[in-house]
Amino acid sequence: MQQETIIGVDIGTTSTKAVAFGVDGKLLFQYAVEYPIYSSQPGYAEQDPDMVFKAVLQTVQTIVGELRKAGYSLIGISFSSAMHSLIALDEHDSLLTNCIIWADTRSRLQAEKLKQSEIGYDIYLHTGTPIHPMSVLPKLIWLREQMPELFANATRFVGIKEYVWYKLFGEFVVDHSVASATGLFNIFDLNWHNAALEIAGVSLNQLSEPVPATYSNYNLSPNYREQLNLPENIPFIVGANDGCLANLGANAMDDGHITITIGTSGAVRVMAKQPATDKQQRIFSYILTPEHYVLGGAVNNGGVVLQWFRDTFYSSETAVAKNHDKDPYALLCNEAATVPAGANGLLFLPYLLGERAPVWDASASACFIGMRLGHTRAHFVRALLEGITFNIYSVAKALEQVTGPVTKVYANGGFSRSELWVQLLADVFNKEVHLTETYESSAFGAAIVGLLALGKIQKLEDAAQLVTITKTYAPEPANHQHYQKNYKIFEELYPKLKETFSQLDDLRNEP
């Protein structure tokens, strides 16, 4: 009998990954296709929706081919995707805009105005999404105010997964999980929130139908079924957002068990049975199922900062590494490892793309503090890694104030391939950090939801037997003490520089 498998498709910020898992949780095959982020003006961050869709087709087609060659039986395909994206469609469901992604900050003025209002705070309490340019609500307000003709011609507003789903099946649905990250969705009654829709200037018939994560469709367009070489009636499961699924895929489902994900961006998340909000609007509450909420904070600046540094200051080495099929990020981390903890007094604020949690300030800027003649390129890489990690740590500290103390830490995302970075995380947190068998936890989480939808497991908690801890990093006390001193200075820097960042941002946005 052929072994049954399921594919988890993770539609990410810079790439789409398709990952095949056995029903026992074992990773079998994976394939990724990258695509660019376009920034035509300061603060703009967009993707080509059709390029993303082609990446979905290419990754699935490749993995289906691998499964077929190896003799496996495919039982379903389930989705994860990045949050906070917005696409406007016309009356023919054709594109009016590119996909405006979470990193886009053009709506910062609209977000700031709404966040300071009573109605803005009330919307946060009902939707669980902090008001920030990342979310769909301020993006819609910006479109209405700055592009009124386009806004008037838009008959539908969707996110990237909704667009992919529509192309495959000809229907507009959005899972509760992705919807809960728009700022437009009431996480208590699981429907669109009227007050948010009124502020945005959109109606119910312009939005997709909310559905649970286990919602399935068997009626794939014949053209795409032939292109993907799939048999008839293969179920596609809508799945959830990548953040919720990262916790599920790591089995971080108990109180105090947090998942730290650093990919392009980064996040700290904890699972809870009820949503929770924060008076300072620092944390989000996203829904996975009515019994599973994911609380936490997301940062704009994760691996994208390391990518920027690599491309800007290691371009020649990167080219050589790629030509020899070597990982250029390993080169950076190896160089950083030659420098002691603390980078000899060099600190880095990682706000290259503004920032979400914990400061929620689209005007924030990145900067190195404490430069001296003795600092080398290796010190800058070390400070960069430490700065990103300090920022993640500050989010975790804010989360603890709402959800209670952290007792266990799981790490996933691309950064978990770096021993130096994961050890650095353990040292900063002074906690053991656990790695699971696959760092592609969002894709694995999507597969788990698919297994639930198909009746292969009876509840999400059953997936615990599918998750294997492969490595644990213990903190080094001496490094932790050093980092505590550095972190104390780090957390004092942003309040001191906040006004300066705002002034610099005004200069950048001058015509």
Side-chain angles (χ1 to χ4, degrees):
M1 182 177 176
Q2 291 180 315
Q3 182 182 343
E4 293 183 330
T5 63
I6 188 166
I7 296 174
V9 180
D10 183 23
I11 305 170
T13 302
T14 55
S15 68
T16 286
K17 309 176 189 73
V19 188
F21 300 92
V23 294
D24 59 358
K26 183 179 179 182
L27 189 154
L28 301 174
F29 303 102
Q30 57 185 321
Y31 186 74
V33 173
E34 295 184 351
Y35 32 76
I37 297 173
Y38 300 109
S39 183
S40 59
Q41 298 183 47
Y44 283 41
E46 299 180 347
Q47 292 169 336
D48 180 341
D50 287 326
M51 188 178 293
V52 176
F53 178 63
K54 289 176 182 176
V56 171
L57 294 178
Q58 185 178 344
T59 56
V60 172
Q61 181 184 47
T62 301
I63 294 300
V64 168
E66 293 292 340
L67 291 174
R68 190 177 295 274
K69 284 190 295 184
Y72 291 107
S73 172
L74 178 65
I75 62 171
I77 299 172
S78 186
F79 285 92
S80 162
S81 81
M83 295 170 269
H84 315 301
S85 58
L86 176 65
I87 305 166
L89 302 177
D90 68 12
E91 59 183 337
H92 304 295
D93 297 323
S94 298
L95 295 168
L96 287 175
T97 67
N98 273 334
C99 179
I100 305 171
I101 67 171
W102 57 266
D104 193 286
T105 60
R106 75 184 76 172
S107 62
R108 69 180 184 88
L109 296 179
Q110 288 77 12
E112 288 170 6
K113 180 179 178 181
L114 182 58
K115 183 174 182 178
Q116 318 235 340
S117 68
E118 288 186 16
I119 185 63
Y121 182 60
D122 185 71
I123 288 173
Y124 165 70
L125 294 178
H126 284 86
T127 66
T129 302
I131 294 174
H132 182 271
M134 68 170 186
S135 78
V136 172
L137 174 55
K139 289 181 171 75
L140 285 169
I141 298 172
W142 185 92
L143 276 179
R144 190 186 73 231
E145 293 178 355
Q146 301 299 317
M147 305 184 74
E149 184 175 350
L150 183 150
F151 189 85
N153 289 331
T155 58
R156 192 174 296 277
F157 297 99
V158 299
I160 189 60
K161 196 208 289 189
E162 294 155 76
Y163 183 73
V164 168
W165 193 269
Y166 164 72
K167 297 279 281 186
L168 294 173
F169 299 106
E171 65 174 357
F172 287 103
V173 299
V174 59
D175 61 84
H176 293 157
S177 181
V178 166
S180 70
T182 62
L184 302 167
F185 190 76
N186 190 311
I187 57 176
F188 298 94
D189 65 19
L190 302 185
N191 217 324
W192 298 114
H193 186 54
N194 287 331
L197 267 58
E198 185 175 344
I199 290 290
V202 300
S203 59
L204 281 173
N205 61 10
Q206 290 180 289
L207 301 175
S208 300
E209 177 189 354
V211 296
T214 51
Y215 177 85
S216 305
N217 194 320
Y218 290 73
N219 301 311
L220 180 65
S221 163
N223 290 338
Y224 293 126
R225 185 171 65 245
E226 182 179 346
Q227 182 176 340
L228 298 176
N229 200 16
L230 290 170
E232 290 189 22
N233 298 322
I234 285 290
F236 282 67
I237 299 91
V238 71
N241 73 50
D242 57 357
C244 290
L245 293 174
N247 273 59
L248 177 61
N251 192 37
M253 300 186 69
D254 295 332
D255 292 344
H257 290 196
I258 66 169
T259 295
I260 295 174
T261 304
I262 305 178
T264 304
S265 56
V268 182
R269 307 180 185 92
V270 64
M271 194 85 78
K273 294 180 175 61
Q274 298 290 334
T277 51
D278 169 39
K279 288 183 178 180
Q280 299 178 55
Q281 303 185 49
R282 293 173 298 178
I283 70 166
F284 55 69
S285 287
Y286 300 147
I287 182 173
L288 180 55
T289 77
E291 295 79 38
H292 304 90
Y293 289 81
V294 173
L295 318 180
V299 303
N300 284 356
N301 300 283
V304 67
V305 181
L306 193 61
Q307 182 182 20
W308 161 78
F309 199 82
R310 180 201 71 181
D311 294 344
T312 305
F313 301 106
Y314 283 80
S315 57
S316 58
E317 293 93 333
T318 295
V320 171
K322 288 182 175 179
N323 286 337
H324 291 83
D325 292 326
K326 293 183 178 179
D327 181 5
Y329 291 112
L331 170 68
L332 272 70
C333 290
N334 289 340
E335 194 161 314
T338 65
V339 173
N344 290 351
L346 184 62
L347 290 174
F348 177 66
L349 291 185
Y351 311 136
L352 201 66
L353 290 170
E355 193 50 280
R356 290 183 280 176
V359 299
W360 297 102
D361 183 358
S363 300
S365 300
C367 58
F368 287 96
I369 303 289
M371 288 179 279
R372 291 295 183 94
L373 279 175
H375 288 131
T376 66
R377 192 172 62 169
H379 290 90
F380 282 88
V381 181
R382 180 93 193 194
L384 185 148
L385 296 176
E386 292 174 354
I388 296 170
T389 308
F390 285 155
N391 203 36
I392 289 285
Y393 182 58
S394 64
V395 176
K397 287 169 67 70
L399 186 60
E400 281 188 312
Q401 295 173 18
V402 178
T403 64
V406 170
T407 58
K408 198 167 186 178
V409 178
Y410 295 87
N412 53 46
F415 96 110
S416 62
R417 286 173 286 182
S418 167
E419 291 194 0
L420 170 70
W421 204 344
V422 179
Q423 183 62 56
L424 197 160
L425 184 75
D427 294 345
V428 169
F429 274 73
N430 200 30
K431 303 281 185 186
E432 290 186 340
V433 176
H434 306 280
L435 301 187
T436 54
E437 190 170 26
T438 172
Y439 61 85
E440 299 294 357
S441 294
S442 294
F444 188 35
I448 291 170
V449 169
L451 293 175
L452 178 67
L454 298 173
K456 298 297 181 179
I457 57 175
Q458 300 308 306
K459 58 184 185 297
L460 291 181
E461 286 75 12
D462 292 343
Q465 61 188 331
L466 307 179
V467 180
T468 303
I469 301 295
T470 56
K471 191 165 185 177
T472 296
Y473 289 76
E476 297 180 3
N479 281 352
H480 175 68
Q481 292 299 321
H482 197 101
Y483 284 136
Q484 283 294 292
K485 295 175 184 176
N486 281 34
Y487 177 74
K488 186 176 186 305
I489 300 170
F490 175 91
E491 67 178 342
E492 294 172 349
L493 287 173
Y494 169 76
K496 293 177 179 177
L497 293 171
K498 176 179 171 60
E499 182 59 31
T500 300
F501 290 152
S502 180
Q503 293 169 358
L504 291 172
D505 200 51
D506 289 340
L507 290 176
R508 278 191 294 268
N509 287 287
E510 283 184 357

